[in-house]
């Protein structure tokens, strides 16, 4: 029997959800002609034969077009708009897969994590494959793989490309949960990568992401935003190692132990290596040594201490020491701490350690006999992010770039995030150069597109609120609500000097309340986009945990992430579920302890700087009153149900992509939809489009009759009694 095949036009799939995931999207008619279902395996034949997973193309895609991501285009040796042959192919479950990658990837990523990242992907020998996990459908999650990759490899995992070296059985295989996935010999960028990528990416890659041996650290003068910390560390090292007699004369011990803390990827190790350049340094990688068995771990530390303490002195540098000495301590930790103390007490020896998780560190490390001094690196602000981008792009061929715009749209990004951003943009520029034959040049649109893919480390483990390009100016009506939010949220972050000049503290938090479906979450998206804020969104119930202390810890970690990525916004949706009135729950006191943790974070000893807390609820009367007092969620903003004018704006916005017939009068319809929320209005137009399809699958527009039919199915959801209750609550406030 002859295998069916189609010759189609290859187009680049620009969807961020499909980026480099090995998914080819076809028109439903093409799928039917080939006898394929979604997520079947297919052969993709260009100048080279490869395999991929097939899925349905978005509406509006021409029948004769195949949408391929840039890696699949490269695997098939195709250029955009070239002709590609698609046919069904038999894909076997992989017994074993071997891939090669950079030395850093091989050293950092375990085989278990590697299998999770490649799960469900169709691979052939010689193919290039990314670590971006493929969505495997409802009931599955890629969060475990992404968090593990971020933790072990940093943000560079999003742009790492691997080469498939061997598969068993031969032919296209699909990675399964029981497949043996392992590393082959480490190399550079895969050979199948598009031409021009290697040159552009090599110019933009940070030193920390280079294969061993590690490239020379940047000069201290090139460090951005950490000049004060670098100067302080240099001064301490000079006094302890070069002028110890001066300290002894003044009655001080010349021993030196420094703990460098700060968010992951901010450049702690880079700072230490830059300052220590020119000195004798013995370095231990905390995660690598911490993964060994207890005896080997102790032996590695003992050998490192012997090198610095038994020779001519120098500096012992331990990166990510929390992985070596975690809290709570392990039995071998005491012996390791004793070895480190011996090094610090040796004349001519200094000890420097870095950690992104000081709370997860053995507390003995911060003792006076070990690390008696501490340096903290903060996240870069907008000006520092721009300077970092200029430094990363110094040797890269570029067009006209507006780096201030990119920096303003990257709140919460650290140096490692920005390096990954540049690398992703370089991949896009190289793919374009490979397709068009132009000289490689990085452009503004490459950086803007990379912002949609790269997620900062400061937001790992939290829900991403889809901000988009909608601002408060795009929100129809709600004049008083928008003004209240601007004053309570944007002004404290954008004009802190004005509050200082007037001698008042800005509002700490805001509570949005109103009937369901009236646009509270939409307002938050617009607010975050207007202020270019880093948003940490969580539904109240998501923080609740049955284990004692886990919920309070989740609250503390949420606020710490917000501080690390300031200026930021903490959005607590359904806050009534998180902070109900104390003393009235039957959950063993979990809710009461969570409320106490929230109150402590909002107005505790550690102040909230450049962080605003925004809660949303449709039951403000259920929230613990202590949370609504001044200094906490002190500004209450009512989001009323839409009136006729607001409904008209909502219908116009929601109906913009809908082809409405000339007999549809949105103004009259808005007046007639009394009791409909914003969500109801949008749902009405969706149902009207479905009614038009029921009338005729080839319908070209939506008529007034379709809208009338939709009104029979979509009824108003606003409860008059609830609206009246909320309005009365607003009037009392």
């Amino acid at each position: 029997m002859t295998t069916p095949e189609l010759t189609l036009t290859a187009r680049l799939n620009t969807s961020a959800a499909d980026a480099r995931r090995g998914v080819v999207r076809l028109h439903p008619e093409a799928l039917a002609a080939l006898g394929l279902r979604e997520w079947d395996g297919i052969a993709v034949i260009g100048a080279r034969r490869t395999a991929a997973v097939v899925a349905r193309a978005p509406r509006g895609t021409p029948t004769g077009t195949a949408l391929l991501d840039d890696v699949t285009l490269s695997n098939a040796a195709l250029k955009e708009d070239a002709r590609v042959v698609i046919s069904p192919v038999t894909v076997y479950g992989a017994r074993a897969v071997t891939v090669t990658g950079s030395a850093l990837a091989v050293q950092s990523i375990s085989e278990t994590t590697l299998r999770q990242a490649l799960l469900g992907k169709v691979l052939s020998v010689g193919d290039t494959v990314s670590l971006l996990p493929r969505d495997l459908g409802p009931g599955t999650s890629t969060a475990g793989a992404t968090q593990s990759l971020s933790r072990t490899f940093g943000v560079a995992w999003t742009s790492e490309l691997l080469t498939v070296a061997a598969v068993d059985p031969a032919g296209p295989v699909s990675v399964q949960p029981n497949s043996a996935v392992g590393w082959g010999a480490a190399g550079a960028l895969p050979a199948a990568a598009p031409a021009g990528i290697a040159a552009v990416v090599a110019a933009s890659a940070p030193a920390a992401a280079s294969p061993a041996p590690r490239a020379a650290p940047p000069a201290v003068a090139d460090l951005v935003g950490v000049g004060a910390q670098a100067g302080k560390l240099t001064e301490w090292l000079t006094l302890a190692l070069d002028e110890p007699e001066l300290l002894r004369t003044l009655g001080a011990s010349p021993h030196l132990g420094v703990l460098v803390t700060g968010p992951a990827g901010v450049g702690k190790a880079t700072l230490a290596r830059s300052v220590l350049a020119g000195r004798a340094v013995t370095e231990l990688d905390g995660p690598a040594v911490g993964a060994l068995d207890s005896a080997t771990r102790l032996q590695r530390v003992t050998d490192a201490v012997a090198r610095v303490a038994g020779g001519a002195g120098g500096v012992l540098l331990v990166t990510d020491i929390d992985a070596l000495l975690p809290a709570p301590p392990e039995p071998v930790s005491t012996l390791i701490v004793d070895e480190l103390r011996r090094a610090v007490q040796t004349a001519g020896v200094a000890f420097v350690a870095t950690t992104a998780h000081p709370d997860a560190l053995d507390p003995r490390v911060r003792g006076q006999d070990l690390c008696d001094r501490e340096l903290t690196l903060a996240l870069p602000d907008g000006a520092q992010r721009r300077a970092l981008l200029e430094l990363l792009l110094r040797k890269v061929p570029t067009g006209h770039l507006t780096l201030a715009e990119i920096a303003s749209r990257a709140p919460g990004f650290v140096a490692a995030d920005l390096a990954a951003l540049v690398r992703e943009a370089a991949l896009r520029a190289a793919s374009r150069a490979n397709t068009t034959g132009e000289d490689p040049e990085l452009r503004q649109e490459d950086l803007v597109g990379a912002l949609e893919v790269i997620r900062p480390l400061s937001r790992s483990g939290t829900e991403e609120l889809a901000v988009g390009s909608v601002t408060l100016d795009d929100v129809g009506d709600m004049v008083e609500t928008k003004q209240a939010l601007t004053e309570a949220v944007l002004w404290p972050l954008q004009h802190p000097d004005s509050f200082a000049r007037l001698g008042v503290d800005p509002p700490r938090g805001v509570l949005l309340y109103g009937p369901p479906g009236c646009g509270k979450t939409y307002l938050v998206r617009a607010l975050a986009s207007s202020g270019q804020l880093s948003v940490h969104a969580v539904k109240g119930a998501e923080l609740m945990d049955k284990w004692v202390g886990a919920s309070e810890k989740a609250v503390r970690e949420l606020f710490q992430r917000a501080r690390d990525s300031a200026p930021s916004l903490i959005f607590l949706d359904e806050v009534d579920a998180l902070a109900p009135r104390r003393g009235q729950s039957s959950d063993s006191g979990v809710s009461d302890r969570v409320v106490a943790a929230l109150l402590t974070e909002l107005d505790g000893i550690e102040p909230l700087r450049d962080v605003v807390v925004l809660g949303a609820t449709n039951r403000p009367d259920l929230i613990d009153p202590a949370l609504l007092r001044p200094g906490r969620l002190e500004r209450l903003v009512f989001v009323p149900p839409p009136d006729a004018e607001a409904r008209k704006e909502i219908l116009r916005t929601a109906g913009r992509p809908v082809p409405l017939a000339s007999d549809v009068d949105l103004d009259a319809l808005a007046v007639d939809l009394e009791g409909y929320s914003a969500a109801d209005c949008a749902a009405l137009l969706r149902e009207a489009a479905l009614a038009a399809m029921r009338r005729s699958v080839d319908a070209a527009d939506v008529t007034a009759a379709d809208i009338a039919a939709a009104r029979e199915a979509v009824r108003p959801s606003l409860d008059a009694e609830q609206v009246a209750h909320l309005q009365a609550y607003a009037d009392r406030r």
Side-chain angles (χ1 to χ4, degrees):
M1 182 177 177
T2 304
T3 302
E5 62 180 38
L6 288 177
T7 301
L8 307 171
T9 301
R11 294 285 171 81
L12 178 64
N13 186 353
T14 58
S15 169
D18 290 340
R20 303 196 307 281
R21 286 173 169 85
V23 178
V24 175
R25 294 194 174 270
L26 304 179
H27 191 279
E29 293 182 10
L31 290 174
L34 294 171
L36 293 170
R37 296 175 299 176
E38 279 201 295
W39 315 120
D40 281 348
I42 58 170
V44 182
I45 307 169
R48 180 179 177 274
R49 184 186 182 99
T50 186
V53 173
V54 72
R56 188 186 300 269
R59 185 189 308 176
T61 303
T63 309
T65 295
L67 299 180
L68 289 73
D69 61 81
D70 53 351
V71 169
T72 307
L73 279 170
S74 171
N75 286 336
L78 286 167
K79 293 186 177 181
E80 194 172 4
D81 295 328
R83 304 297 284 173
V84 59
V85 176
I86 306 291
S87 66
V89 69
T90 301
V91 176
Y92 300 95
R95 287 192 293 268
V97 173
T98 302
V99 297
T100 62
S102 68
L104 184 63
V106 175
Q107 295 167 5
S108 304
I109 302 172
S110 69
E111 294 183 351
T112 300
T113 302
L114 183 62
R115 180 173 59 248
Q116 289 178 331
L118 301 182
L119 202 62
K121 294 188 178 182
V122 174
L123 308 177
S124 302
V125 174
D127 279 357
T128 297
V129 61
S130 76
L131 289 168
L132 293 169
R134 182 173 77 78
D135 183 7
L136 297 176
T140 64
S141 173
T142 62
T146 57
Q147 290 176 12
S148 179
L149 287 164
S150 295
R151 184 171 56 253
T152 59
F153 193 42
V155 294
W157 73 270
T158 58
S159 51
E160 178 75 15
L161 293 176
L162 314 176
T163 300
V164 181
V167 297
D168 180 25
V173 297
S174 174
V175 178
Q176 304 296 311
N178 61 348
S179 301
V181 181
W183 290 107
L189 282 173
I197 284 183
V200 181
V201 173
S204 63
S210 302
R214 183 183 293 113
V220 174
D222 289 334
L223 297 175
V224 176
V226 292
Q229 292 90 333
K232 185 64 69 176
L233 182 57
T234 301
E235 177 187 345
W236 291 342
L237 288 165
T238 300
L239 290 173
L241 300 182
D242 302 335
E243 302 177 14
E245 293 302 324
L246 179 60
L247 290 173
R248 291 193 183 97
T249 301
L250 296 171
S253 170
H255 83 268
L256 176 65
V258 182
L259 182 65
V260 184
T261 64
V266 78
K268 301 179 292 296
T270 301
L271 166 70
R273 294 185 187 113
S274 298
V275 173
L276 296 174
R279 296 184 181 272
V281 179
T282 300
E283 182 173 340
L284 286 176
D285 181 64
V289 178
L292 303 172
D293 62 85
S294 298
T296 309
R297 197 185 319 168
L298 177 60
Q299 187 61 49
R300 289 285 185 89
V301 175
T302 302
D303 292 345
V305 171
R307 282 196 294 273
V308 294
V315 181
L316 175 60
L317 171 63
V318 181
T319 57
D320 296 316
I321 193 173
D322 52 284
L324 177 63
L325 293 170
E330 299 176 357
V332 73
S333 296
T334 300
L335 299 176
I336 293 176
V337 169
D338 287 342
E339 286 294 327
L340 295 178
R341 286 174 179 155
R342 182 166 71 88
V344 170
Q345 297 302 325
T346 302
V349 174
F351 174 59
V352 179
T354 70
T355 179
H357 308 286
D359 294 338
L361 179 63
D362 187 330
R364 291 174 293 184
V365 174
R366 304 171 92 165
Q368 291 298 315
D369 55 350
L370 192 48
C371 288
D372 58 336
R373 307 181 195 193
E374 190 167 323
L375 286 174
T376 300
L377 274 60
L379 265 78
D381 57 23
Q384 291 167 353
R385 290 195 297 270
R386 178 179 179 177
L388 284 167
L389 285 170
E390 290 174 347
L391 186 65
L392 289 167
L393 294 170
R394 185 166 51 186
K395 299 180 181 179
V396 178
T398 62
H400 175 70
L401 299 179
T402 309
L403 295 181
E405 177 192 348
I406 302 300
S408 69
R409 294 180 59 178
F413 278 59
V414 294
D417 298 323
L418 294 173
L421 180 75
V422 169
R423 182 179 171 91
E424 172 65 24
L427 287 169
R428 292 167 179 262
S431 179
R432 181 179 60 249
N434 189 42
T435 301
T436 63
E438 303 173 355
D439 291 336
E441 179 186 73
L442 195 144
R443 301 174 184 170
Q444 182 80 0
E445 59 264 28
D446 298 321
L447 289 168
V448 172
L451 281 171
E452 299 176 0
V453 177
I454 302 300
R455 185 185 187 198
L457 280 173
S458 59
R459 294 183 219 168
S460 61
T462 61
E463 179 184 344
E464 280 295 301
L465 193 69
V467 176
S469 58
V470 177
T471 66
L472 286 177
D473 295 334
D474 300 316
V475 178
D477 201 50
M478 296 191 188
V479 176
E480 295 181 1
T481 302
K482 291 191 293 183
Q483 182 62 29
L485 287 175
T486 300
E487 295 174 0
V489 178
L490 297 185
W491 284 4
L493 299 177
Q494 295 175 343
H495 308 291
D497 52 333
S498 298
F499 285 90
R501 186 172 60 252
L502 296 174
V504 295
D505 293 326
R508 191 72 54 82
V510 182
L511 178 67
L512 277 177
Y513 67 100
C518 289
K520 296 186 289 294
T521 304
Y522 183 77
L523 272 172
V524 175
R525 290 195 185 102
L527 187 68
S529 183
S530 297
Q532 297 296 335
L533 307 177
S534 172
V535 182
H536 301 265
V538 63
K539 286 185 170 62
E542 293 177 359
L543 293 178
M544 309 301 274
D545 196 296
K546 65 179 180 179
W547 302 109
V548 175
S551 298
E552 300 94 297
K553 181 181 179 182
V555 172
R556 290 195 301 271
E557 290 176 346
L558 173 66
F559 276 79
Q560 187 58 51
R561 285 194 298 268
R563 289 187 183 96
D564 289 343
S565 60
S568 61
L569 177 70
I570 297 176
F571 177 44
L572 303 175
D573 203 2
E574 301 171 9
V575 68
D576 52 288
L578 176 66
R581 290 176 179 268
R582 284 174 286 184
Q584 299 182 8
S585 62
S586 57
D587 56 5
S588 303
V590 174
S591 298
D592 293 354
R593 293 196 297 271
V594 169
V595 173
L598 267 177
L599 298 178
T600 301
E601 292 294 341
L602 281 167
D603 60 359
I605 295 176
E606 186 176 2
L608 278 179
R609 292 190 177 91
D610 294 332
V611 177
V612 176
V613 181
L614 184 58
T617 181
N618 53 22
R619 294 296 306 271
D621 52 309
L622 298 183
I623 299 175
D624 191 276
L627 202 62
L628 305 180
R629 291 175 184 165
R632 296 160 183 173
L633 300 184
E634 57 187 82
R635 290 292 300 273
L636 273 66
V637 179
F638 181 51
V639 182
D643 55 18
E645 189 64 28
R647 289 194 297 272
K648 182 170 64 176
E649 293 295 328
I650 293 166
L651 288 170
R652 284 179 177 169
T653 301
R656 199 171 294 152
V658 180
L660 298 174
S662 58
D663 61 347
V664 177
D665 186 350
L666 291 183
D667 292 356
L669 179 62
V671 174
D672 201 29
L673 293 179
E674 185 65 35
Y676 279 68
S677 68
D680 296 334
C681 293
L684 179 68
L685 290 181
R686 286 198 302 272
E687 182 63 29
L690 290 174
M693 292 178 64
R694 294 188 198 103
R695 172 170 50 83
S696 171
V697 175
D698 298 323
D701 54 18
V702 175
T703 66
D706 297 325
I707 291 180
R711 290 193 62 180
E712 296 298 322
V714 180
R715 311 303 301 174
S717 64
L718 290 177
D719 185 316
E721 183 177 344
Q722 183 185 25
V723 172
H725 175 74
L726 289 169
Q727 185 64 62
Y729 185 88
D731 294 340
R732 290 197 303 272
R733 301 297 300 191

